[in-house]
């Protein structure tokens, strides 16, 4: 499959790159502008200098109705070269068989072509609906990836683990895990969980949103010298039918500073779509059987918990914080809530509440961006995929000692109506090893749902004239 890739050249400090390469081993990639692919394009976006005013890299799906970019996520560092890599999902590929693509980072940014593709097994699998880094479950120094196909085999769903080595990602999955029953939807969401049980190996968490009439259930699989185990260490179910527990989940970092990674889970259906989010803390025996923390949405239809993410440490106190989206709030205006971590875990009341514009679906997607402006505080991305006739928009909120700024430091808007720009967002780490974190944005509706994905570089990669 050939993608139409438009790459945009950047001015990057020439003196900075060699020193970073010496430290990281991250090799310079192909030229940032490929023949026949244009030079630099100003998108209809607003930006605040000195952060990126332009996407540094754009990839476009090859045919209409593909939904390329429906999923975007960090892939970790699959080739262990010191540059972060990314994964992009295209769950409608070939009659909904689905496909994922991995692009590796270089000193010049992301490569011009994927270094790895994987395709689902049969039609209507929706392989790639969820995907992301698994961390390094086998401790070999190479990050692995996890992919969900939640419609597999009567909607049982299946999850695939692909391991990496010095030769790249292996084409055959090292492990496949199938749902227990029809309509379980295993793989509706998947995530690398970090090291939940403190054994030195990364673990993976996945959800079966449809389990038991959409009560929902999550499973934690632990890493070890031989990779992920085939039997879950922890299994946790939602509170009741139609809650859709597990519709979203994410690694939460270490919110209470005890040295064990934690997990956050969303359940949008709770209480007539008021929605809930739950924090499960890690420990030597895995995830706790009961949540350490629960937060509930404000009103029916809010869909609180539709998106959940580790915000990083936005206030610089040494504890991970969490961000939760409620895109249905107030007739789909949408709200986002930041909860601060501390010795007792996440606080009961949000540190910050942000509200979108009318019916823009603010909070449909949320992600920790890392520290894109280099000020020592982690930042947050919020997607509003219905902004202005479904063009879509994203907002970057910078961290600071009291939490997030109440005003977005940076906004980017999609290219045209029905683009759904911001439907997916991800902080992806530092793809060009310049010391600043970078982020991806997906617009699956672009050009008749061909779909498009945009990479924005952190501070030092800012495009300037």
């Amino acid at each position: 499959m050939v993608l139409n890739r438009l790459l945009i050249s950047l001015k990057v400090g020439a003196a900075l790159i060699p020193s970073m390469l010496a430290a990281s081993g991250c090799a310079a990639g192909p030229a940032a502008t490929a023949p026949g692919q244009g030079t630099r394009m100003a998108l209809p976006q607003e930006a605040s200098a000195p952060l990126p005013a332009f996407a540094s890299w754009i990839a476009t799906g090859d045919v209409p109705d593909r939904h390329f970019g429906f999923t975007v996520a960090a892939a970790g560092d699959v080739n262990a070269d010191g540059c972060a890599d990314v994964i992009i999902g295209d769950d409608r590929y070939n009659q909904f068989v689905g496909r994922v693509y991995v692009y590796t980072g270089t000193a010049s940014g992301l490569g011009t072509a994927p270094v790895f593709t994987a395709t689902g097994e049969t039609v209507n699998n929706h392989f790639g609906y969820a995907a992301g880094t698994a961390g390094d479950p086998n401790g070999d120094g190479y990050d692995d990836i996890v992919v969900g196909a939640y419609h597999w085999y009567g909607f049982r769903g299946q999850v695939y683990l692909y391991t990496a080595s010095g030769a790249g990602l292996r084409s055959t999955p090292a492990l496949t895990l199938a749902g227990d029953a029809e309509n379980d939807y295993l793989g509706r969401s998947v995530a690398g969980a970090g090291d939940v049980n403190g054994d030195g190996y990364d673990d993976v968490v996945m959800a079966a949103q449809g389990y038991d009439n959409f009560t929902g259930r999550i499973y934690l699989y632990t890493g070890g010298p031989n990779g992920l185990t085939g039997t879950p260490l922890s299994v946790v179910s939602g509170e009741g039918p139609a809650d859709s527990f597990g519709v979203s989940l994410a690694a939460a970092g270490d919110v209470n500073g005890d040295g064990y990674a934690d997990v956050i889970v969303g359940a949008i259906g709770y209480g007539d779509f008021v929605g809930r989010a739950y924090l499960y803390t890690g420990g030597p025996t895995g995830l706790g059987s009961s949540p350490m923390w629960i937060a509930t949405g404000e009103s029916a239809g809010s869909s609180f918990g539709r998106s959940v993410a580790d915000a990083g440490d936005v206030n610089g106190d040494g504890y991970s914080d969490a961000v939760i989206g409620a895109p249905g709030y107030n007739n789909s205006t949408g709200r986002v809530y930041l909860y601060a971590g501390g010795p007792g875990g996440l606080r009961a009341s949000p540190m910050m509440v942000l509200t979108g514009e009318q019916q823009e679906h603010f909070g449909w997607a949320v992600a920790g961006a890392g520290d894109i402006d280099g000020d020592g505080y982690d930042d947050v991305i919020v997607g509003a995929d219905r902004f202005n006739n479904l063009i879509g928009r994203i907002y970057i909120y910078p961290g600071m000692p009291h939490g997030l700024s109440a005003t977005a430091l940076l906004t980017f808007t999609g290219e045209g109506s029905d683009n759904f720009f911001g439907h997916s967002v991800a902080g992806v780490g530092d793809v060009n090893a310049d010391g600043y974190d970078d982020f991806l944005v997906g617009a699956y509706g672009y050009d008749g749902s061909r779909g498009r994905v945009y990479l924005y570089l952190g501070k030092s990669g800012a495009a300037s004239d």
Side-chain angles (χ1 to χ4, degrees):
M1 202 271 306
V2 178
L3 295 178
N4 173 29
R5 284 169 294 275
L6 173 60
L7 301 181
I8 303 164
S9 60
L10 293 178
K11 295 178 182 177
V12 180
L16 176 63
I17 290 177
S19 63
M20 294 303 300
L21 290 179
S24 70
C26 180
T33 302
Q37 293 177 315
T39 53
R40 174 175 167 182
M41 181 177 79
L43 300 178
Q45 300 164 343
E46 309 83 49
S48 302
L51 288 164
F54 301 91
S56 72
W57 175 96
I58 297 175
T60 306
D62 59 346
V63 295
D65 199 30
R66 283 286 291 274
H67 280 196
F68 179 80
F70 189 87
T71 301
V72 298
D77 186 3
V78 299
N79 54 359
D81 67 349
C83 285
D85 309 317
V86 307
I87 185 167
I88 298 171
D90 181 358
D91 75 310
R92 289 195 176 193
Y93 173 81
N94 192 19
Q95 299 182 68
F96 302 94
V97 172
R99 178 174 272 187
V100 296
Y101 310 81
V102 173
Y103 294 83
T104 51
T106 74
S108 305
L110 289 178
T112 58
V115 298
F116 173 84
T117 62
T119 307
E121 297 183 45
T122 60
V123 297
N124 296 319
N125 273 195
H126 286 272
F127 179 88
Y129 187 93
T133 182
D136 185 10
N138 58 357
D140 65 354
Y142 297 92
D143 287 333
D144 308 321
I145 63 168
V146 60
V147 182
Y150 79 108
H151 275 200
W152 179 85
Y153 194 49
F155 306 108
R156 282 175 170 81
Q158 187 153 268
V159 173
Y160 304 75
L161 176 75
Y162 293 89
T163 55
S165 70
L169 286 161
R170 297 175 175 90
S171 59
T172 301
L175 181 67
T176 58
L177 299 163
D180 293 330
E182 289 188 1
N183 301 313
D184 267 9
Y185 285 19
L186 182 72
R188 173 61 174 74
S189 51
V190 298
D195 185 5
V196 172
N197 60 346
D199 65 352
Y201 296 93
D202 289 331
D203 310 318
V204 170
V205 63
M206 59 195 69
Q209 175 199 352
Y211 169 81
D212 192 17
N213 294 313
F214 287 88
T215 295
R217 176 174 271 188
I218 65 166
Y219 304 83
L220 176 76
Y221 290 85
T222 54
N226 298 316
L228 282 186
T229 58
T231 302
L233 178 63
S234 302
V235 179
V236 181
S237 299
E239 295 187 63
D243 277 8
S244 285
F245 177 82
V247 67
S248 60
L249 58 78
D254 183 6
V255 300
N256 57 353
D258 66 353
Y260 298 94
D262 309 317
V263 170
I264 189 166
V265 185
I268 59 168
Y270 175 85
D272 193 21
F273 287 89
V274 171
R276 264 190 168 175
Y278 307 79
L279 178 77
Y280 292 87
T281 53
T285 59
L287 294 175
S289 58
S290 299
M292 179 185 192
W293 173 94
I294 300 175
T296 306
E298 296 185 58
S299 57
S302 287
S303 295
F304 179 86
R306 170 58 187 79
S307 54
V308 298
D310 174 12
D313 183 8
V314 301
N315 58 352
D317 66 352
Y319 297 93
S320 295
D321 309 315
V323 60
I324 300 170
Y329 172 82
N330 191 20
N331 196 26
S332 295
T333 293
R335 266 191 169 172
V336 168
Y337 306 77
L338 175 74
Y339 292 88
L346 293 177
R347 296 174 188 167
S349 298
M351 174 187 290
M352 176 74 68
V353 179
L354 303 165
T355 305
E357 300 182 21
Q358 186 174 14
Q359 295 184 323
E360 71 170 350
H361 240 197
F362 182 81
W364 177 262
V366 297
D371 183 10
I372 63 173
D373 56 358
D375 66 352
Y377 299 94
D378 287 331
D379 311 313
V380 167
I381 315 170
V382 178
D385 66 341
R386 294 186 183 179
F387 171 81
N388 192 15
N389 198 28
L390 312 184
I391 291 173
R393 175 176 273 186
I394 68 156
Y395 302 80
I396 304 293
Y397 292 91
M400 52 187 55
H402 67 267
L404 292 176
S405 167
T407 303
L409 176 65
L410 187 65
T411 64
F412 292 97
T413 305
E415 298 185 64
S417 60
D418 300 314
N419 275 198
F420 292 95
F421 179 86
H423 176 87
S424 54
V425 298
V428 294
D430 185 4
V431 302
N432 59 348
D434 66 350
Y436 297 94
D437 290 323
D438 311 314
F439 60 96
L440 281 182
V441 182
Y444 75 85
Y446 173 83
D447 192 20
S449 293
R450 289 177 188 271
R452 216 171 216 194
V453 175
Y454 308 76
L455 173 74
Y456 298 89
L457 297 177
K459 186 173 182 178
S460 76
S464 58
D465 295 317

